Amino acid sequence: MSTKKYKSPLHEMTQTTRTEYWNDSCAVSELKYAIEHGAVGATANPVIVSYVLGIEMDLWKDHINRLINDMPDADEERISWKLVEDMSAQGAKLLEPIFNESGGKKGRLSIQTDPKNYRNPKAMVDQAVHFHNLAPNMIVKIPVTSAGVTAIEEATYQGVVINATVSFSVPQALAVGEAIEKGLQRRKAGGKDISSMSPVCTIMVGRLDDWLKVVANRDNIVTEPAYLEWAGVAAMKKAYEIYQERGYTTRLLSAATRNHMHWSEFIGGDVVVTMTNQWQRRFNACDVEVKPRMDNPVAPAIIKELSAKFADFDRAYRPDGMTVEEFDTFGPTLRTLRGFIRGGGEFVGVIRDFMLPNPDVK
């Protein structure tokens, strides 16, 4: 790595390969750092906004109080979602120069629909369209549940740029690729523009690893410990191989970083890697060589062992390992939706404390 020519390993990656990276937060300080080091996107959702308040409350407390005063009939949940929208719009503004320079292909702020609506396609589509209209460079997260796949196609048709989320597997990624193609074809057939639509499909690689570790402990499975760090990488690479063969418009995005392979193994691919500020700083200070590895296959012995000992890895890795209906009962889907919904409730609690302050505390 040349320390003279490039600011950091992540900056070098963005300048020398097709691989992009996004900031997994919409905190102003973190997003500015990420953009400086080559990031071209960012993420917001209720859990992330709650995190941002934890580190940048001084920037937002007056705004929260104004929302409460300006929306006198709004409950705490409405105030919470309005704050998510406002914070997302601010992040989108920081990314707008990148968006304009790239003709809409980069520089988007990813905002998440309410995870409680994971069974309701209409509710997801309606919220997605609303979020799409908040700023010209919004990209909207819809979960890859059975209902979510339906919503992804319809929202795409209505012009929403999609970031498919709550996705951990090859079957989910393929379902998203097909749904978005159908939505784009319908839109094109209706004479509507699709030229600047740049959808992505997330694979939460670290959460697949997490799940297999839970299963290993739950079911007393013994395997090579290092193999469990490769599960998400294997799913991402398999999905990427098929995406390249089929020529989907959608690009893959890796999320839920747990180790450097969740970055380094994807370098060189026409993909996005999203990561927190903590991981960005860790990678920017590391000695991992920046070189293409996306096309390097995962060792067959790892695939064989994980497939033999973990039925859920086999389901996640094989293109036909799950039906769309089975997405909703897949372990990582259940764990992630539960976590997102719980985290959203905790965020609403933060807003509740503004609206109904504890009288026992000065």
Side-chain angles (χ1 to χ4, degrees):
M1 181 186 72
S2 169
T3 56
K4 294 181 179 179
K5 190 173 183 180
Y6 306 109
K7 297 176 182 177
S8 64
L10 291 178
H11 183 242
E12 180 179 0
M13 177 189 72
T14 64
Q15 299 303 302
T16 62
T17 77
R18 298 181 295 173
T19 310
E20 296 176 9
Y21 99 87
W22 291 3
N23 183 61
D24 202 13
S25 137
C26 56
V28 173
S29 57
E30 294 183 351
L31 184 49
K32 286 181 177 179
Y33 172 89
I35 292 171
E36 182 183 345
H37 291 269
V40 293
T43 303
N45 62 34
V47 175
I48 287 174
V49 169
S50 184
Y51 159 78
V52 172
L53 292 180
I55 62 173
E56 295 184 344
M57 180 62 83
D58 58 315
L59 299 180
W60 290 101
K61 60 183 180 181
D62 290 343
H63 186 80
I64 294 169
N65 284 320
R66 279 196 299 272
L67 290 178
I68 294 168
N69 290 330
D70 293 346
M71 302 169 66
D73 62 344
D75 62 22
E76 57 201 23
E77 191 156 354
R78 277 185 61 200
I79 298 291
S80 300
W81 276 105
K82 184 64 170 70
L83 179 60
V84 171
E85 293 178 12
D86 292 352
M87 198 176 286
S88 299
Q90 176 177 281
K93 197 71 177 175
L94 289 172
L95 290 162
E96 199 168 323
I98 298 170
F99 177 78
N100 292 334
E101 290 170 13
S102 67
K105 295 298 184 182
K106 302 177 183 180
R108 292 187 180 270
L109 190 291
S110 185
I111 182 173
Q112 181 173 292
T113 54
D114 190 340
K116 296 198 301 294
N117 292 329
Y118 71 94
R119 298 176 60 185
N120 188 331
K122 184 179 186 304
M124 286 187 275
V125 171
D126 289 348
Q127 192 175 37
V129 171
H130 172 68
F131 287 164
H132 168 73
N133 290 318
L134 292 176
N137 56 328
M138 302 302 283
I139 184 169
V140 183
K141 291 184 178 181
I142 293 178
V144 190
T145 57
S146 177
V149 172
T150 300
I152 285 167
E153 178 185 337
E154 179 60 25
T156 298
Y157 167 68
Q158 294 196 33
V160 178
V161 181
I162 294 294
N163 176 359
T165 188
V166 191
S167 171
F168 322 87
S169 68
V170 176
Q172 287 175 294
L174 298 183
V176 169
E178 293 292 337
I180 289 177
E181 288 303 313
K182 290 177 183 177
L184 291 173
Q185 289 166 11
R186 287 171 56 200
R187 187 170 174 80
K188 188 174 181 181
K192 299 176 180 179
D193 182 44
I194 62 171
S195 61
S196 64
M197 296 179 73
S198 51
V200 297
C201 175
T202 293
I203 296 183
M204 304 177 102
V205 291
R207 288 179 180 260
L208 180 59
D209 294 2
D210 293 345
W211 175 241
L212 296 190
K213 292 170 187 176
V214 169
V215 171
N217 289 328
R218 185 193 68 191
D219 298 345
N220 294 317
I221 298 172
V222 175
T223 188
E224 289 292 332
Y227 287 6
L228 293 171
E229 306 297 330
W230 284 94
V233 172
M236 179 79 171
K237 291 196 174 198
K238 184 66 172 179
Y240 182 72
E241 177 188 337
I242 298 171
Y243 264 50
Q244 295 300 105
E245 291 171 355
R246 297 186 182 180
Y248 289 137
T249 303
T250 306
R251 289 186 303 156
L252 291 172
L253 179 151
S254 75
T257 306
R258 301 291 188 267
N259 60 60
H260 82 75
M261 295 186 302
H262 294 160
W263 158 60
S264 61
E265 283 294 320
F266 307 140
I267 294 174
D270 186 14
V271 299
V272 179
V273 181
T274 187
M275 61 189 80
T276 64
N277 181 261
Q278 180 183 14
W279 279 107
Q280 290 172 51
R281 290 179 182 275
R282 185 178 297 186
F283 292 152
N284 281 336
C286 79
D287 58 0
V288 175
E289 184 181 359
V290 176
K291 67 177 183 180
R293 298 183 183 86
M294 189 68 193
D295 294 332
N296 297 348
V298 176
I302 296 175
I303 304 297
K304 182 178 180 180
E305 170 111 347
L306 291 177
S307 297
K309 293 188 174 181
F310 295 91
D312 278 351
F313 174 77
D314 187 58
R315 296 172 72 199
Y317 185 74
R318 281 190 297 111
D320 59 352
M322 282 186 284
T323 65
V324 171
E325 291 71 28
E326 290 173 322
F327 295 166
D328 295 20
T329 56
F330 190 42
T333 300
L334 294 171
R335 294 185 91 221
T336 300
L337 282 174
R338 284 171 60 88
F340 281 174
I341 293 170
R342 181 175 60 251
E346 292 170 355
F347 168 54
V348 171
V350 174
I351 303 304
R352 181 183 306 124
D353 286 340
F354 274 84
M355 299 176 76
L356 295 171
N358 185 349
D360 300 339
V361 179
K362 282 189 176 182

